[in-house]
Amino acid sequence: MSELLLYVGNKNYSSWSMRPWLALKAADIPFRDEVIPFDFPGGNTAIKAVSETGKVPLLVHGGFKVWESLAIIEYAAELYPDAGIWPGDRKARARARSVSMEMATGFQALRNACPMNLRHTPQQLEVGSDVLANLARITTIWKECLADSGGPFLFGAFSAADAMYAPVVSRFMSYMLPVDDVSAAYMSAVAGHAAFQAWAADAAKETWVVPEDEV
């Protein structure tokens, strides 16, 4: 099989890059990654050179390109159907896709107020009611999924759904947002996963600073 090459942005800041990277890494799918750092405010022409959208993540497989985090995850799941990227049970798989899509399309207030920054020293951030509403919905999703699956991850074993919510876990931790005990235990499980730890270790080595994402 041709090599899977995943182009990603700065590991410290790029939440969308983190999602497919974690999904592939946690499923032990062989791939190579290449970081193309952001260069604000003018952008980075190196991204446009490989990605027609001018954005990452981008997966390249034998010359074929797949973009957007969920599309990349789905493509990898079809290439490696036994890797467990999605839950095996049909209803659990549908629910995992539902909550993943909700993550992909929602929670804009949280994204705007609390950018992902893995190097950020944890410090409590005062947030508005719109962010708190996002937080409440996210933790409700977590608690409902965990109650049905028994944990430690949303659908028992680590899946694409956990990869989709991992950047939110980092945001909650960085800005010390208030969560219940069940959600806190889930966050600890995600942050302690070997794939998350590997990504975070790479992020810690980066020297690029994006002022727009420094809160």
Side-chain angles (χ1 to χ4, degrees):
M1 184 180 292
S2 301
E3 176 189 57
L4 292 177
L5 171 58
L6 183 65
Y7 288 98
V8 298
N10 312 42
K11 291 185 176 179
N12 186 58
Y13 301 109
S14 185
S15 58
W16 289 110
S17 297
M18 184 185 196
R19 292 178 167 107
W21 193 97
L22 288 185
L24 271 62
K25 187 75 170 178
D28 291 325
I29 291 174
F31 71 100
R32 180 170 64 88
D33 71 340
E34 185 171 324
V35 176
I36 305 179
F38 302 143
D39 183 17
F40 288 100
N44 190 336
T45 56
I47 296 178
K48 191 68 175 179
V50 299
S51 172
E52 286 83 353
T53 67
K55 298 177 181 178
V56 287
L58 173 75
L59 182 72
V60 181
H61 179 216
F64 181 69
K65 295 181 178 181
V66 185
W67 58 97
E68 299 294 343
S69 298
L70 270 176
I72 293 170
I73 289 171
E74 290 286 10
Y75 185 78
E78 291 190 20
L79 277 180
Y80 293 89
D82 298 323
I85 288 181
W86 293 108
D89 176 78
R90 176 172 55 84
K91 290 183 178 179
R93 188 164 60 251
R95 191 176 188 187
R97 285 181 167 132
S98 295
V99 299
S100 294
M101 181 57 72
E102 186 172 354
M103 178 71 260
T105 59
F107 311 118
Q108 195 60 50
L110 175 66
R111 299 181 203 279
N112 291 341
C114 306
M116 190 177 89
N117 183 346
L118 291 171
R119 295 197 305 262
H120 181 79
T121 300
Q123 184 175 359
Q124 189 168 16
L125 179 68
E126 295 297 325
V127 295
S129 59
D130 53 350
V131 176
L132 293 176
N134 284 179
L135 188 155
R137 174 56 188 159
I138 290 167
T139 55
T140 295
I141 290 170
W142 290 354
K143 288 184 289 184
E144 289 177 350
C145 291
L146 292 166
D148 286 347
S149 71
F153 301 106
L154 295 180
F155 296 92
F158 191 97
S159 73
D162 301 293
M164 288 297 294
Y165 280 87
V168 168
V169 168
S170 77
R171 286 175 162 100
F172 284 14
M173 295 170 64
S174 292
Y175 305 107
M176 300 177 68
L177 301 180
V179 295
D180 58 274
D181 291 345
V182 172
S183 297
Y186 170 67
M187 289 164 54
S188 293
V190 172
H193 193 283
F196 188 104
Q197 290 287 308
W199 176 276
D202 288 346
K205 298 173 186 175
E206 294 180 345
T207 58
W208 304 293
V209 175
V210 178
E212 289 85 350
D213 288 338
E214 293 291 335
V215 175

